[in-house]
Structure formats: C-alpha cells, structure tokens
Amino acid sequence: MIDADGLRSFEERVAQAFNDGKIRAPVHLYSGNEEVMIKMFQDISSRDWVLCSWRSHYQALLKGVPAEEVFSEIIAGRSISLCFPNYRMFSSAIVGGILPIATGIALAIKRERRVERVHCFLGDMTAESGIAHECVKYSTNHDLPIRFIIEDNGQSVCTETFPTWGMLASSFENCSNSKIVYYQYENTYPHAGAGVRVQF
Amino acid sequence: MEWLAGHDDTIFLGQAVAVPGTAMSNTLTGIAQEKLMELPVAEEMQMGMSLGLALAGQVPISIYPRFNFLLLAMNQLVNHLDRIGQISNFGYSAKVIIRTSIGSERPLHPQHQHVGDFTEAFRLMLGNIQVLRVEEPEDIFPAYRQAYERKDGQSTLIVEYGDYLSEK
C-alpha cells in the first residue's frame, strides 16, 4: 500500500501539472489527512466498494489503482469523477450524489448475502444535506453493510459549513452510530485547483 | 410484471409496491413478497439506490406511480443514471427499468400536481435512457421485455397511462 509520502507527492505532481496548464479540467486535492486515510484503508478489502466525491485521488491510490493509471485519468480531465470499475471505485461530482448509490449497492450485497462492504466518503456540507440524512437513516435501520466516512474540513468550496446552517459543529461529531466514521482535517489546498485560482 | 419477476436478478422497489396504495399496486399482487421492496417516500434516494442495485448486478424495476413524483428524482436520473457511461469513461453501465404513469383522472381527478405527462421533456433531458410511452395495453409487455433483454446495458423509462390500469 502506498505510504503517506507517496500520497503527498502524488498530489504535488498533480498540482504541478495543473499549475503548468497541463490539466484542462478541475482538480480537487487532499492534504493533511494522509495518516488517517491509510488507517481507514486498512479496513477496506479489494472486494469492497469505495464511493467518493470529486476529491478522490487518495482513495484511488489506496484502493490499489496504479498511480500512473490514476494520473492519466486526471490528465484526461476526469479527476472530478474518477471511476475504476475493476477496483470497485465510483465517484461523482454532484453533492450527495453517491450516497443513495452506495446505499443501493449495500442493499444488493445484503440481499445476496455477499461478504463485501461499501465505504462512502463525504464532506461536512454533504453530511448535512437531506439526502445524507435519508441514506444514513435507511442504512442504519436496515443494517446495511456500509459505512459513511465524513471528512470535515469545515468548508464547502469557500462557504463555511456550520455557520451557514446556524450550527456550531457537525451533526455527526461524537456520533455513536457504528455506520458513521467522522474525522476532521485541514486541507492546505484550495477547494479546487492547486493555488493558482481558476474560476469555473 | 410476473414475467419480470420470474428472473432471479430483478427486484421491484418504490412506494406501494409491497402493499396496496395506487392503481399500479394492483399489477404487482401476484409477485412474491421477497421480490418487492417497499421504500419510504424518498424519490431521489430510490433512484440512486436503483442505480446502486444495478451496479451491483441486479435489474431493479423502480416504480414511481405518477410522473409528477418522478420529478423529485431528477438529480439521480439526469446527473447519474443517464450519464453513468460518460462519467466513468464507459467503465460502468447500469440497466434500470423505471416505471411510471401519467396519473389517472378517473374515477377521481387528482388535480394538477398528479396528472402530468413529461415524456417529451424527459426525452430532451435524457440522452442515454430510452423513454418509451406505451400507448395501448398490448404494447406494455413488449416494452418491458425489451427493457429487460437489452444488451447495451442502458436503462429504460416506461411511461404508462394510469387510467388504463383500471380500465383496460
């Protein structure tokens, strides 16, 4: 499995390519959560499904997709919805879009008594949306083989999540639901791009 | 519907599929309960779940008793199911059968939020999902058979006339 330095250097390579104008599409980069992501993937098997948002380079690498394959997809402009069927990875660039899809996959797994699990990554703003609450409620009450991994960096693009909702913290912080994994991190990259802001 | 239910990989889901409630419910009464998944009223979640079920190898028949209700699932329908090929560089495909109807007007007229026919609008928005409006009862079975047997991995939206469910 790729280590923390490998993850960081991959994003740096993407950042450089983006700032050099070699990627003519948005990229959304991670930083500051390498250790927690590596730990997360120690509990994810190759037969499991991983669903992500527009920020998903780390998940692809940790799921085992070769770095050059991930990089070529990014260069081709598909960073925003990286999908690798052979690795059971699916991403979407629509807020909350993956949640019911992940729930449906988990439902199929349970109905067919398969041993796979689903790991669904979402941000703090997505976690406060109506579709998130529906999917978490349904998955919890039907005990589907899924976990929702909430990655809280406090921001949605440039909007602060909790003040806009009139909240002090995430609905899922200190949550006792076994289907929920919650962690906070600070991302040194902007929402999109790599420092040189390109409005799109 | 019984023909669809005879295949191991199909599952029917939606509101009033395992219990009575709509004119469409009557068309599912002969189907084994384990094939019927009653869902809460959560139209967008239902459509996303249908896509997830399809990605995992099942063929969901996702039921929205009236076309107006299907509008609430547009995000999943347009942004995900219709574009599943493009967003995955044609790595994923998903065969979902979506069943809806132009709301019945007889014997009770449910007024203007329940009788919409958005067939042409959906055809304009959906580039990869085939939209079939079945004009006569005898067209219904061939439409569903075609939707299930298609080999291109694409989804089908089948629009029925609600009044036919109780009249023809």
Side-chain angles (χ1 to χ4, degrees), chain A residues 9 21 42-43 53 78 85 93 107 134 151 171 191 198:
Chain A
S9 64
Q42 287 169 351
D43 191 29
S53 70
R78 289 189 280 271
L107 176 61
E134 290 177 11
E151 306 179 290
S171 301
H191 165 72
V198 180

Side-chain angles (χ1 to χ4, degrees), chain B residues 1-7 10 12 141 144-146 148-149:
Chain B
M1 295 303 115
E2 286 83 357
W3 181 82
L4 286 169
H7 296 83
T10 55
F12 298 78
F141 178 72
Y144 284 99
R145 183 170 59 191
Q146 175 192 331
Y148 179 80
E149 291 182 341

Side-chain angles (χ1 to χ4, degrees), chain A residues 49 51 73 78 81-105 107-109 111-112 114 131 134-135 138 144, chain B residues 9-11 13 34-53 55-58 75-76 79-80 84 86-92:
Chain A
W49 294 74
L51 285 92
E73 284 292 289
R78 289 189 280 271
S81 58
L82 285 180
C83 291
F84 297 100
N86 292 339
Y87 298 86
R88 293 191 163 175
M89 180 173 161
F90 180 88
S91 305
S92 166
I94 297 293
V95 172
I98 52 168
L99 278 76
I101 299 169
T103 303
I105 294 171
L107 176 61
I109 291 169
R111 281 179 62 82
E112 295 179 357
R114 286 150 47 181
I131 194 71
E134 290 177 11
C135 293
Y138 189 90
L144 299 186
Chain B
D9 55 1
T10 55
I11 174 176
L13 67 160
E34 62 267 22
K35 301 285 278 186
L36 303 173
M37 178 140 297
E38 188 75 14
L39 288 186
V41 179
E43 291 87 352
E44 185 185 357
M45 183 178 82
Q46 177 183 329
M47 188 62 73
M49 287 174 67
S50 301
L51 171 52
L53 285 160
L55 291 175
Q58 302 200 346
N75 173 36
Q76 283 296 328
N79 284 324
H80 293 91
I84 186 73
Q86 288 97 330
I87 66 174
S88 67
N89 197 18
F90 298 96
Y92 284 117

Side-chain angles (χ1 to χ4, degrees), chain B residues 13-152:
Chain B
L13 67 160
Q15 292 93 52
V17 299
V19 298
T22 73
M24 235 176 231
S25 310
N26 299 333
T27 67
L28 303 169
T29 52
I31 294 173
Q33 279 292 310
E34 62 267 22
K35 301 285 278 186
L36 303 173
M37 178 140 297
E38 188 75 14
L39 288 186
V41 179
E43 291 87 352
E44 185 185 357
M45 183 178 82
Q46 177 183 329
M47 188 62 73
M49 287 174 67
S50 301
L51 171 52
L53 285 160
L55 291 175
Q58 302 200 346
V59 181
I61 297 97
S62 197
I63 295 178
Y64 294 82
R66 292 176 186 269
F67 223 149
N68 296 75
F69 306 163
L70 184 57
L71 297 176
L72 290 147
M74 290 306 280
N75 173 36
Q76 283 296 328
L77 188 63
V78 174
N79 284 324
H80 293 91
L81 185 59
D82 188 54
R83 286 157 173 73
I84 186 73
Q86 288 97 330
I87 66 174
S88 67
N89 197 18
F90 298 96
Y92 284 117
S93 63
K95 185 163 68 176
V96 177
I97 301 172
I98 304 146
R99 184 185 186 202
T100 194
S101 77
I102 301 157
S104 60
E105 299 180 11
R106 298 179 295 274
L108 300 177
H109 195 299
Q111 300 301 298
H112 304 289
Q113 293 168 305
H114 284 68
V115 294
D117 177 3
F118 307 107
T119 303
E120 295 308 321
F122 274 57
R123 283 179 175 148
L124 289 172
M125 283 189 286
L126 302 173
N128 301 295
I129 296 173
Q130 185 175 14
V131 181
L132 293 174
R133 184 172 56 201
V134 288
E135 303 295 340
E136 295 296 336
E138 56 267 29
D139 299 331
I140 293 175
F141 178 72
Y144 284 99
R145 183 170 59 191
Q146 175 192 331
Y148 179 80
E149 291 182 341
R150 63 188 312 155
K151 304 295 183 195
D152 57 8

